[in-house]
Amino acid sequence: MKKLINDPKDVVKEALEGMALAHADILRLAPEPAFLVRADAPVEGKVGIVSGGGSGHEPMHGGLVGFGMLDAAVPGPVFTSPTPDPILEATKAVDSGRGVLHIVKNYTGDVLNFETASDLALAEEIEVRSVIVDDDVAVKDSLYTAGRRGVAGTVLVEKIAGASAERGDDLDTVAGLAEKVNANARSMGVALSACTVPHAGEPSFDLGEDEIEIGIGIHGEPGRARIAIEPADAIVDRLLAPILEDLPFASGDDVLLFVNGMGGTPEIELYIVFRRAAEVLRERGITVTRHLVGNFTTSLEMQGCSITVLRLDDELTELWDAPVHTAALRWGR
Amino acid sequence: MKKLINDPKDVVKEALEGMALAHADILRLAPEPAFLVRADAPVEGKVGIVSGGGSGHEPMHGGLVGFGMLDAAVPGPVFTSPTPDPILEATKAVDSGRGVLHIVKNYTGDVLNFETASDLALAEEIEVRSVIVDDDVAVKDSLYTAGRRGVAGTVLVEKIAGASAERGDDLDTVAGLAEKVNANARSMGVALSACTVPHAGEPSFDLGEDEIEIGIGIHGEPGRARIAIEPADAIVDRLLAPILEDLPFASGDDVLLFVNGMGGTPEIELYIVFRRAAEVLRERGITVTRHLVGNFTTSLEMQGCSITVLRLDDELTELWDAPVHTAALRWGR
């Protein structure tokens, strides 16, 4: 295992310290229990938004803390849910009296620990709503999940819910918009290589020299099929077909097309994927009115990508366009 | 070789098409000879800025085209200089009558081809100035270079020269600021793995299972030393010491600290590197007043990073902070 790390047990702690040093204008590190929180939290009169989960998916979630997006991000160890304690503390730190939304990816550990934290917050008279993200169409039930997994669509939920909270919407409205994004987003991914969790020291699964995994989970969980490598256009077609059939998306839809890198894929390849995906959507009469391309929901150094398609209406488009200022996503401010 | 590509000979063309589809609000693709150019070029009354070089270093340079930065980016084949012809056409496309700055990384092919293009532009009565970037302290003379190589510091040159041009400075001023950034920036990189050029199909060099290359070039050229993997903090110290001694940087300096990912390194590791680098600078009495962390000057899927330190004064800081709106870098607008 070759990584730019010190002691494997310090990876998350030291990366958080680096984040806090680099982005002191945006966020600060609450040290014990550790979470990243907006420098100006709690923001008076604003619904708070907390997300989190296992580390190793950066910039999600710490890189998405800031104006117009998350108020706090609670990191667990690599690929392992945070415990209820830091989730509770983050919830308390961002509550200004208007309540707090938890955005939770659908993994059994995350769901359980956010639920416990939510109960504990309620006992301290903080109103909490939870939205579970389950945008991955690849498989139903998986290694760590009952039902569908939550993957890169989470970034879109966080952006749009964040914009809603920033303009002063109440907790029901913010939660309703998060649910609306989840209901209109579908994703699927592919892995060309595995990744190595630092404290494990070995790749999390084996892929043959010419094999790829279609429908991979963001922790390397099995997908739909293991096949021989194909041209990028054929792989894109394999990812897009189940996405488009699932909602279903239809001719006349306006969509946001999100090509997400898994961490180890060159940007040049992500744009080749974007090119084909945009072509397929055009052929189906679906218009790409917004886009996102880059590494947002990663699996350490895994090579591969995921595609997310989100059906947009005027309300979602307006909230997507609203100003945001985080380490990973910024515009309009 | 597993990559998200179609025919290896179409990689650059298809990636450019994907870029143009995704970022039509910012740039367009001039098809033949191919280069990326600001959607609103030529911008009246503004000095034009053209950069370019071999592909495979994305988002540099195409992702840096836009308001406040480059007017055009001329891509060669992967790791191969573009010919004079597209450089000339890009120069003509961005000239509004106030002249054009070429920002050229110090590689023999790039220098030669930009020089030829500059002569041809002059014959068409376009005034061209060229600034050669050579920020890499690792080695003097290298596989493709006489003198020092130009690496990630190029991004900083392009940002600051771009801000100067955007506020209406004349060609001499814009070129002078680009030279000033180059004179005050020093970089050095490390590779943990090689990368594979698509049309070659094989890794560009071999690294043993526990080996790293200190002082790597962005095309995998040899550096200063091949050593056994060490903790991240020790590697950072090896990169920073020659950077700081070279200028030299001194106690009391304000600097921009730039940790650049080579393409295949998880963000979590880049922040571990940032943490140590910031610590070393603080110990030396050097203040990090600005920063940049992420994949900007990559070598396809290479694992590793580079560190760039730029000494700032008020003028450079103000131009760094000025609004920018490109695919890869955006703030303030």
Side-chain angles (χ1 to χ4, degrees):
Chain A
M1 176 181 66
K2 282 193 286 191
K3 287 180 181 290
L4 289 167
I5 62 173
N6 296 299
D7 190 325
K9 74 171 168 34
D10 296 330
V11 163
V12 173
K13 172 182 165 286
E14 292 181 350
L16 292 172
E17 289 171 2
M19 280 284 295
L21 279 168
H23 305 293
D25 54 324
I26 294 176
L27 51 79
R28 62 185 169 80
L29 173 61
E32 191 56 54
F35 58 90
L36 293 169
V37 58
R38 259 175 80 157
D40 56 349
V43 181
E44 203 173 338
K46 192 183 91 65
V47 166
I49 304 185
V50 175
S51 190
S55 295
H57 305 301
E58 291 70 24
M60 193 178 79
H61 299 274
L64 306 174
V65 170
F67 179 89
M69 217 158 166
L70 300 179
D71 293 273
V74 187
V78 173
F79 291 179
T80 303
S81 175
T83 58
D85 187 30
I87 304 170
L88 173 63
E89 293 305 318
T91 304
K92 289 158 68 174
V94 308
D95 180 47
S96 73
R98 296 197 72 197
V100 176
L101 176 67
H102 286 177
I103 298 176
V104 186
K105 299 189 298 300
N106 191 31
Y107 295 95
T108 307
D110 287 338
V111 171
L112 190 68
N113 290 333
F114 270 90
E115 200 171 274
T116 305
S118 165
D119 291 344
L120 294 168
L122 187 64
E124 302 198 24
E125 298 187 336
I126 298 172
E127 194 183 1
V128 176
R129 288 278 304 273
S130 296
V131 171
I132 310 290
V133 182
D134 59 352
D135 55 314
D136 188 351
V137 302
V139 293
K140 183 152 176 59
D141 300 334
S142 180
L143 203 51
Y144 311 112
T145 326
R148 288 180 167 185
R149 302 175 296 213
V151 290
T154 312
V155 174
L156 311 183
V157 173
E158 292 175 0
K159 170 64 183 81
I160 286 170
S164 165
E166 202 69 61
R167 73 179 179 188
D169 290 349
D170 64 18
L171 182 56
D172 280 349
T173 306
V174 177
L177 279 159
E179 275 160 4
K180 180 175 170 183
V181 175
N182 186 54
N184 285 281
R186 296 292 186 276
S187 303
M188 192 153 139
V190 59
L192 277 63
S193 73
C195 59
T196 298
V197 174
H199 61 259
E202 299 288 334
S204 51
F205 61 100
D206 287 316
L207 264 180
E209 204 174 313
D210 291 317
E211 278 181 340
I212 63 175
E213 177 87 23
I214 300 283
I216 191 80
I218 58 173
H219 315 92
E221 309 95 303
R224 286 188 171 197
R226 187 165 290 197
I227 62 169
I229 180 82
E230 293 179 340
D233 286 0
I235 295 170
V236 170
D237 293 355
R238 283 184 189 269
L239 299 181
L240 258 184
I243 288 172
L244 297 179
E245 281 153 25
D246 194 87
L247 193 57
F249 292 87
S251 179
D253 282 349
D254 288 340
V255 300
L256 185 156
L257 172 59
F258 174 20
V259 174
N260 172 62
M262 292 291 197
T265 292
E267 189 177 292
I268 203 168
E269 297 180 29
L270 300 181
Y271 280 106
I272 290 173
V273 168
F274 186 91
R275 170 185 171 278
R276 174 62 184 170
E279 189 172 70
V280 171
L281 293 172
R282 193 177 56 236
E283 283 165 5
R284 299 224 188 178
I286 298 166
T287 307
V288 177
T289 58
R290 295 293 183 274
H291 70 271
L292 187 63
V293 183
N295 293 328
F296 289 95
T297 301
T298 63
S299 300
L300 296 169
E301 72 281 7
M302 185 185 283
Q303 289 187 287
C305 73
S306 62
I307 297 175
T308 300
V309 184
L310 167 64
R311 186 161 57 195
L312 291 171
D313 60 13
D314 290 347
E315 182 182 35
L316 296 185
T317 302
E318 185 188 325
L319 291 163
W320 176 259
D321 288 345
V324 61
H325 190 80
T326 68
L329 212 61
R330 54 179 77 175
W331 57 69
R333 187 170 185 252
Chain B
M1 177 182 65
K2 282 194 287 193
K3 288 181 181 289
L4 290 167
I5 62 174
N6 296 300
D7 189 325
K9 75 172 167 32
D10 296 330
V11 163
V12 172
K13 173 182 164 288
E14 292 181 351
L16 291 173
E17 289 171 3
M19 280 286 295
L21 280 167
H23 305 293
D25 54 324
I26 294 176
L27 52 79
R28 61 185 170 79
L29 173 60
E32 191 56 55
F35 58 90
L36 293 169
V37 58
R38 261 175 78 157
D40 56 349
V43 182
E44 203 173 336
K46 194 184 92 64
V47 167
I49 305 185
V50 175
S51 190
S55 294
H57 306 300
E58 291 70 23
M60 195 178 79
H61 300 272
L64 306 176
V65 170
F67 180 89
M69 217 157 168
L70 299 180
D71 292 273
V74 187
V78 173
F79 292 178
T80 303
S81 175
T83 58
D85 186 32
I87 303 171
L88 173 64
E89 292 306 317
T91 303
K92 289 158 68 175
V94 308
D95 180 46
S96 74
R98 295 198 71 199
V100 177
L101 176 68
H102 286 176
I103 299 177
V104 186
K105 300 190 297 301
N106 191 33
Y107 295 95
T108 307
D110 287 338
V111 171
L112 189 68
N113 291 332
F114 270 90
E115 201 171 273
T116 304
S118 165
D119 291 345
L120 295 168
L122 188 63
E124 304 199 23
E125 296 186 341
I126 298 172
E127 192 184 2
V128 176
R129 287 279 304 271
S130 295
V131 171
I132 310 290
V133 182
D134 60 351
D135 54 314
D136 187 350
V137 303
V139 292
K140 182 151 178 58
D141 301 332
S142 181
L143 204 50
Y144 310 112
T145 326
R148 289 179 167 185
R149 301 176 298 215
V151 291
T154 312
V155 174
L156 311 184
V157 173
E158 292 176 359
K159 170 66 183 79
I160 286 170
S164 165
E166 203 68 64
R167 74 179 177 187
D169 291 349
D170 63 18
L171 182 56
D172 279 349
T173 306
V174 177
L177 279 159
E179 275 160 5
K180 180 174 169 181
V181 175
N182 185 54
N184 285 281
R186 295 292 186 276
S187 302
M188 192 153 139
V190 60
L192 278 62
S193 72
C195 60
T196 298
V197 174
H199 60 259
E202 300 286 335
S204 51
F205 60 99
D206 287 316
L207 264 180
E209 205 174 311
D210 291 317
E211 279 181 339
I212 62 175
E213 178 87 24
I214 300 283
I216 191 81
I218 59 173
H219 314 93
E221 308 96 303
R224 288 189 170 196
R226 188 165 287 197
I227 62 169
I229 180 83
E230 293 179 342
D233 286 0
I235 295 171
V236 170
D237 293 355
R238 280 184 191 269
L239 299 181
L240 259 185
I243 288 171
L244 297 180
E245 281 153 26
D246 194 87
L247 192 61
F249 292 88
S251 179
D253 283 349
D254 288 340
V255 300
L256 184 157
L257 173 58
F258 174 20
V259 174
N260 171 62
M262 291 290 198
T265 293
E267 189 177 291
I268 203 169
E269 298 180 28
L270 300 182
Y271 281 107
I272 290 174
V273 167
F274 186 91
R275 171 186 172 275
R276 175 62 183 169
E279 188 172 69
V280 171
L281 293 173
R282 193 176 56 240
E283 283 165 5
R284 298 225 187 179
I286 298 166
T287 306
V288 177
T289 58
R290 295 294 183 276
H291 69 271
L292 187 64
V293 183
N295 293 329
F296 288 94
T297 301
T298 62
S299 301
L300 296 168
E301 74 279 8
M302 185 186 282
Q303 288 186 288
C305 74
S306 63
I307 298 176
T308 301
V309 184
L310 167 64
R311 186 161 57 194
L312 292 171
D313 59 15
D314 289 349
E315 182 181 36
L316 296 184
T317 303
E318 185 188 325
L319 291 164
W320 177 258
D321 288 345
V324 60
H325 189 80
T326 69
L329 210 61
R330 54 179 77 174
W331 57 69
R333 186 172 187 248

